Amino acid sequence: MKGYINNITVKARQLTMLHFFYALGVLCLFSACATVEKPNGGPSDRTAPKMAAATPADSAVNFSSNQIVLEFDEFVKLNNPNSQVLINPFPQEKPALTVQGKKVKIELKDPLLPNTTYHIFFGNAIQDITENNPAAGLDYVFSTGSFLDSCSLSGFAGDAFTQKFTDKAWVMLYKNLSDLRDTLPVYISHVNDRGAFKFRNVAPGTYYLCALEDNNSNYKFDVPDERIAFFTEPFVLSAEKATIDSANLYLFTEKATIQKHLKTEMIHYHTVRSSFRLPLENPKVTILNKKGETTFAWNEKKDSIVFYVKGTEADSLKYIIQDGTFSDTLAQALKFKGRQKDFSTDTLLRLSSSALLEKIAPGEDFILSCMIPIEVWDTSKIIFALNKDTLPAVFTKADETGQRWKLQHQLKPGDNAVLIIKKGAATDIFGYKTDSTKISFRMIAENEVGTLVIDLMNLPGKPLIVSASTKEKSYTQVSAPESDKVIFKNMLPGEYELKIIVDENEDGEWTPGVFDQRLQPEKVFTIPRPVQVKKSWDSKLSWNLEY
């Protein structure tokens, strides 16, 4: 009897274990079915999701629903739909997107306008769940009327000064140009990574075209530092002219009108620089320091000032800048620790020369430059070797502060020179001296330089600021309104970027536009490729300045 009972107990335990493993297997099966995972191994999925169906159908007319369902051929997810999804005409409230498996639901929040074509752009908002492949270029069109509008407008957005494309601009269509300040656009688009944009399915009508780099994400030009572009004349789209191409916009930042202190920083031992947004007209500087002797110098534009504080006992600089109604009290510590660039102990007087790759062009002066003004030279510690001769080295001030010094000896093309500046040859205003340095240079021969001749066509009737630049060297000329030829002589060989500014207000510099006055920025011309200047050669170029 006892053996019989034990046998029953064993069988019961076996049956219980079978039930346990069966339940565990079912649980694992359901768990696997409920979790969508990327399969291991094999090639990566590079195929973007494709829309398999839409309810209502894409390009539907007489549309009256407030919900759209898009179904894809694989499981999808959403990627930042608030910034990626655009709908035109631009709504007061953006649509809401949700995803469930292979379906994306779009809930339209704004009431739909009658007889209007709507176009939804999804950008990269919809991606597959395995490799994040976006359904790029996906869009959906519908009309609340009996037909789809088909007008289009396209172009390019770039920088007004550099002429290079921007990938940050919103491009917008308005019924009134003044709406850019405080009203949402009728249609909106975003440039692609090459600066191109295109409006499609636009209703016939009259529109003002604007571009904006929107710093506060409200689609309005209401922040002073926002970059903008605009056409003063409207574009008219109609059945007869349904397509407009090459509507190019060039963005600029308006010139500031309110003075502001931008930055104060230490740039060398007891040397402080303060920068301002605008040039100061008649600045007054009041030094508040009780320790040390402070001098200062403005730059040529008077938008930056450098202070030199003598005396090792001085540990800070405090001062007041006043100019008309503008006034600011500023301060800078002169001794600090723990910063990446600690200038408080940098006392070495460093010299640099105007020779580019140890060369100076015929007719150019040889200039020594330094950050801290030089107070005195000891010429007995300078050796100047010209060709095979040793000559006295004489330097004279090339500026008011003593930061630029001109070699008085006149060099001739082909001359080779070596300047050996021994330790202590120059002493700056703080009493610190130069270290030993050797500078070799030569004035290149006339057959080693080149000439650039630019023939101008369709002159705009204003002075032209013409520049030719490499990373190391820049040449600039101002051409008279009637002059149809610009000649750069004695240029160092190289590949030069060319630029022409039409100086409308004749102030000698590029001037941006003013939106409220409907003033466009001064026109800038560039060419797509650098121009090569060769030695002993006249490089010639014809340039059409037609607007």
Side-chain angles (χ1 to χ4, degrees), residues 49 75-79 124-129 131-135:
F75 290 95
V76 293
K77 63 181 180 180
L78 295 177
N79 171 44
N124 293 327
I126 300 174
Q127 301 178 344
D128 65 29
I129 64 170
E131 297 288 346
N132 302 326
N133 295 308

Side-chain angles (χ1 to χ4, degrees), residues 167-367:
D167 59 358
K168 299 177 181 178
W170 293 99
V171 185
M172 297 166 284
L173 294 176
Y174 292 91
K175 287 297 185 181
N176 299 291
L177 185 54
S178 58
D179 289 347
L180 177 60
R181 282 287 191 190
D182 54 15
T183 305
L184 292 176
V186 180
Y187 293 93
I188 189 168
S189 180
H190 197 279
V191 296
N192 63 16
D193 58 0
R194 301 294 297 175
F197 66 89
K198 185 170 186 177
F199 293 95
R200 297 191 293 271
N201 298 102
V202 178
T206 300
Y207 301 98
Y208 288 90
L209 180 64
C210 304
L212 173 69
E213 289 187 1
D214 190 16
N215 292 344
N216 57 353
S217 302
N218 67 350
Y219 309 104
K220 299 172 185 177
F221 175 45
D222 57 358
V223 178
D225 292 335
E226 289 179 326
R227 284 165 29 99
I228 61 166
F230 60 92
F231 279 91
T232 53
E233 296 298 324
F235 290 91
V236 179
L237 293 168
S238 63
E240 294 75 24
K241 191 174 183 179
T243 301
I244 295 177
D245 298 319
S246 301
N248 298 333
L249 291 151
Y250 294 94
L251 289 93
F252 62 90
T253 302
E254 288 188 333
K255 195 171 184 178
T257 57
I258 300 175
Q259 183 62 277
K260 181 182 179 182
H261 167 250
L262 298 178
K263 188 177 184 181
T264 293
E265 58 186 336
M266 197 166 184
I267 59 175
H268 197 72
Y269 171 79
H270 280 215
T271 305
V272 176
R273 179 172 59 206
S274 283
S275 303
F276 299 86
R277 176 187 284 169
L278 300 172
L280 287 87
E281 295 181 3
N282 188 27
K284 178 184 176 183
V285 180
T286 304
I287 305 298
L288 303 178
N289 281 25
K290 295 182 179 180
K291 296 179 181 179
E293 177 189 346
T294 303
T295 58
F296 57 85
W298 290 93
N299 67 345
E300 187 176 353
K301 288 182 65 177
K302 282 195 174 180
D303 61 358
S304 178
I305 185 172
V306 177
F307 296 90
Y308 308 97
V309 185
K310 295 181 181 180
T312 56
E313 72 279 6
D315 57 5
S316 64
L317 170 67
K318 191 173 183 180
Y319 53 99
I320 301 173
I321 300 283
Q322 294 172 297
D323 185 39
T325 59
F326 173 77
S327 180
D328 206 346
T329 301
L330 304 167
Q332 173 66 51
L334 301 179
K335 297 179 181 179
F336 45 79
K337 295 181 180 180
R339 299 194 184 182
Q340 186 175 1
K341 291 184 178 180
D342 186 356
F343 294 112
S344 63
T345 57
D346 184 5
T347 59
L348 181 63
L349 176 58
R350 298 176 178 84
L351 299 175
S352 61
S353 83
S354 59
L356 179 61
L357 301 176
E358 299 187 350
K359 300 174 184 178
I360 57 175
E364 288 187 355
D365 294 323
F366 178 82
I367 303 290

Side-chain angles (χ1 to χ4, degrees), residues 381-542:
K381 295 181 178 180
I382 301 175
I383 299 174
F384 176 50
L386 181 62
N387 299 322
K388 296 181 179 181
D389 300 323
T390 301
L391 303 172
V394 179
F395 288 94
T396 57
K397 273 187 181 182
D399 63 0
E400 294 181 359
T401 62
Q403 292 171 282
R404 288 168 49 83
W405 294 82
K406 174 185 172 182
L407 179 66
Q408 282 298 96
H409 193 91
Q410 294 296 319
L411 302 180
K412 301 186 299 295
D415 279 350
N416 290 279
V418 177
L419 193 64
I420 299 174
I421 301 174
K422 297 181 180 180
K423 187 174 182 178
T427 304
D428 66 23
I429 59 174
F430 296 121
Y432 294 106
K433 302 178 184 297
T434 56
D435 206 347
S436 298
T437 185
K438 177 182 176 181
I439 302 173
S440 300
F441 60 97
R442 70 186 184 93
M443 179 169 282
I444 58 179
E446 293 181 356
N447 62 0
E448 294 181 83
V449 295
T451 299
L452 176 61
V453 180
I454 305 173
D455 290 315
L456 303 174
M457 298 175 288
N458 290 310
L459 295 173
K462 293 288 184 178
L464 304 176
I465 304 171
V466 187
S467 63
S469 304
T470 66
K471 291 182 179 179
E472 298 83 14
K473 189 72 174 177
S474 181
Y475 302 89
T476 302
Q477 288 189 29
V478 177
S479 179
E482 67 279 1
S483 178
D484 61 357
K485 192 182 294 290
V486 176
I487 302 175
F488 290 100
K489 295 182 178 180
N490 294 330
M491 297 181 73
L492 295 176
E495 292 190 339
Y496 287 84
E497 302 280 352
L498 302 185
K499 179 178 291 181
I500 294 179
I501 299 170
V502 181
D503 193 11
E504 295 279 356
N505 60 1
E506 302 185 16
D507 65 348
E509 62 182 13
W510 180 74
T511 303
V514 182
F515 176 72
D516 288 339
Q517 298 178 26
R518 304 301 188 259
L519 292 177
Q520 295 290 350
E522 289 181 336
K523 179 66 178 175
V524 176
F525 293 92
T526 59
I527 55 176
R529 290 177 296 277
V531 173
Q532 188 171 28
V533 174
K534 300 179 180 180
K535 64 180 182 180
S536 191
W537 190 265
D538 287 359
S539 300
K540 296 184 178 181
L541 172 72
S542 295

